[in-house]
Amino acid sequence: MKPEFLALGLLGSLAAAVPVQDLTLRAPSSEVPRLVLYYQTTHDSLGQPISMLPLITEKYIALTHLIVCSFHINLDGSIHLNDNPPDYPLFYTLWNETQVMKDAGVKVMGMVGGAAPGSFSAQTLDGSDIAFEIYYSQLYSAIVEYELQGMDLDVEQPMSQAGITRLVRRLRSDFGPSFIITLAPVASALRGGANLSGFDYKALETAVGSSISFHNAQFYNGFGNMASPTDYERVVTQGWNPQKIVAGQITTPSNGGGWVPYDRLNATIAAIRTRYGQIGGIMGWEYFNSEPGGLAQPWKWAQVATAILRPNDVPQLRITRDRAQRLTQSWKDSVSATAPASGPDVVAAVVPDVEPNVDYMAMVNA
Ligand SMILES: *[C@@H]1O[C@H](CO)[C@@H](O)[C@H](O)[C@H]1NC(C)=O
Ligand SMILES: *[C@@H]1O[C@H](CO)[C@@H](O)[C@H](O)[C@H]1NC(C)=O
Ligand SMILES: *[C@@H]1O[C@H](CO)[C@@H](O)[C@H](O)[C@H]1NC(C)=O
């Protein structure tokens, strides 16, 4: 990463200048419009952790939900975060930083599933009650261990209606009313068009809709588009509450098809709000390479999305000296860890004594 990626020295003064919000005044509906971002690529091409903290330390970003992904349920194996167990040292920085994000008021969720099949198969989470208990317990443990505040179910393989209903009900009963349960359908699946999940989202809404906070609807890759309000309106006219439909966008043309220029997206969102009063929010897939900042300044996407959704609502940052020291240490420990498996997010070699490219100590403000 380039040095400007880490130019965070002004953070302390920025955070101090922001008036402290009374969190008790925040009714659940005030999270709308949401700004949701998936965080999947955890390391850069040098094997160094990609810090998520600019999303709270840079100005003019009102991120509401960060979704750490992708958790995969492996048949006859253990749960993985991308290519490795989530407790692998590679992820020390990730799990230390999510604590800071939460303190700043950002909801930190996980996502299970995605493009790689397996998590929702008839042998795993969509299986017999015995199979379900085995694999669900891995998901349950990950939520507990990493203190995840919600789980996004990105079902991109056929799953039964009974299976998805069982999973939603179980998460709700195990984690209580404040736990955030979301799904990530392709947009067309919300109106009876092309789908990847098999089951019927309207029927799921009828069965357990009160347990589902919102949908991260994928308006890209040919399943919907936000270049105009048409596709979003097609979903809403099927009976969906627009406050529950977050418009998913790819954050760069590199991440898929159907990228929409930001002035165009702004015009679409404005039209939707004129018509329905509000929109559920904007979701971005994914953080590390978002335009317009690209690899060097991926948080700029969140600045643009905030300008579209709601300027001047910046989450709070609070970092003590002790926490900054721990973040510095976990960054070093992440980088020096040796990798047990191969894969795109694995450190290739032991890198001794590398100083973090994030100045955590400069963030101390409490
Ligand atoms: C989902 O798509 C498949 C074809 O790919 C279709 O058979 C099925 O009926 C669809 N499900 C719903 C609920 O529309
Ligand atoms: C979005 O469009 C509105 C007009 O509809 C305009 O006032 C506003 O400045 C635009 N915002 C951005 C971020 O482009
Ligand atoms: C934070 O990093 C340290 C290593 O510096 C590690 O021992 C600890 O488990 C990490 N915290 C979490 C929650 O992963």
Side-chain angles (χ1 to χ4, degrees):
M1 285 295 102
K2 300 281 183 291
E4 62 263 27
F5 183 65
L6 315 164
L8 303 172
L10 73 166
L11 300 179
S13 53
L14 163 66
V18 175
V20 175
Q21 297 166 30
D22 182 349
L23 296 178
T24 61
L25 294 179
R26 286 198 153 191
S29 65
S30 72
E31 76 171 27
V32 177
R34 305 171 191 89
L35 178 52
V36 183
L37 192 50
Y38 284 92
Y39 179 92
Q40 173 172 257
T41 300
T42 58
H43 290 70
D44 65 20
S45 57
L46 300 175
Q48 302 196 338
I50 295 170
S51 179
M52 61 180 72
L53 296 193
L55 289 165
I56 50 175
T57 59
E58 291 291 326
K59 286 185 182 183
Y60 310 127
I61 297 175
L63 187 71
T64 58
H65 298 76
L66 184 87
I67 304 183
V68 176
C69 60
S70 298
F71 283 101
H72 297 294
I73 303 286
N74 301 308
L75 184 62
D76 296 332
S78 58
I79 193 167
H80 274 46
L81 182 61
N82 301 318
D83 297 317
N84 291 286
D87 63 357
Y88 187 63
L90 199 63
F91 299 124
Y92 282 166
T93 291
L94 168 62
W95 298 125
N96 275 268
E97 288 193 350
T98 52
Q99 296 177 1
V100 182
M101 300 295 284
K102 284 196 274 190
D103 284 357
V106 177
K107 296 277 194 285
V108 176
M109 305 170 58
M111 176 271 260
V112 59
S119 300
F120 306 106
S121 81
Q123 286 75 44
T124 57
L125 289 177
D126 197 20
S128 67
D129 285 348
I130 292 170
F132 177 80
E133 290 304 329
I134 293 169
Y135 295 103
Y136 173 78
S137 73
Q138 297 181 359
L139 189 63
Y140 176 93
S141 299
I143 292 168
V144 171
E145 175 70 24
Y146 303 106
E147 297 174 348
L148 298 173
Q149 295 166 297
M151 186 57 65
D152 182 58
L153 310 174
D154 185 3
V155 185
E156 300 197 7
Q157 67 184 111
M159 186 179 192
S160 70
Q161 199 77 37
I164 187 64
T165 307
R166 173 177 61 184
L167 180 55
V168 170
R169 285 205 172 115
R170 185 59 175 273
L171 286 167
R172 176 60 66 231
S173 87
D174 282 353
F175 293 103
S178 61
F179 190 73
I180 305 160
I181 300 171
T182 61
L183 285 94
V186 293
S188 51
L190 294 171
R191 53 169 182 80
N195 74 87
L196 300 177
S197 322
F199 60 82
D200 184 331
Y201 280 86
K202 283 309 286 288
L204 183 68
E205 183 74 8
T206 302
V208 291
S210 63
S211 288
I212 298 171
S213 300
F214 55 91
H215 291 283
N216 291 302
Q218 300 180 38
F219 282 87
Y220 47 84
N221 283 345
F223 296 104
N225 194 277
M226 291 295 285
S228 84
T230 308
D231 285 344
Y232 192 92
E233 288 170 358
R234 287 170 86 187
V235 168
V236 173
T237 52
Q238 290 302 305
W240 291 97
N241 178 350
Q243 300 222 358
K244 280 186 90 163
I245 307 300
V246 173
Q249 293 289 280
I250 49 171
T251 56
T252 158
S254 313
N255 291 349
W259 181 80
V260 176
Y262 301 128
D263 54 348
R264 197 68 189 265
L265 180 64
N266 182 43
T268 297
I269 303 272
I272 289 169
R273 290 169 118 174
T274 299
R275 179 151 178 191
Y276 300 119
Q278 190 50 280
I279 184 169
I282 298 177
M283 167 275 272
W285 175 272
E286 62 173 305
Y287 173 62
F288 86 110
N289 60 350
S290 305
E291 294 295 342
L295 295 172
Q297 299 178 309
W299 61 84
K300 289 201 163 179
W301 179 86
Q303 288 176 327
V304 172
T306 298
I308 293 174
L309 288 174
R310 53 168 162 187
N312 306 322
D313 185 4
V314 182
Q316 298 302 297
L317 174 71
R318 185 177 170 277
I319 295 194
T320 61
R321 185 163 192 83
D322 180 55
R323 172 162 268 168
Q325 278 163 349
R326 272 187 287 127
L327 285 163
T328 301
Q329 188 58 46
S330 55
W331 195 100
K332 292 182 185 177
D333 292 347
S334 297
V335 169
S336 64
T338 43
S342 62
D345 63 355
V346 159
V347 178
V350 178
V351 190
D353 291 333
V354 178
E355 284 304 311
N357 58 12
V358 183
D359 190 353
Y360 292 110
M361 298 314 290
M363 299 181 193
V364 173
N365 67 347

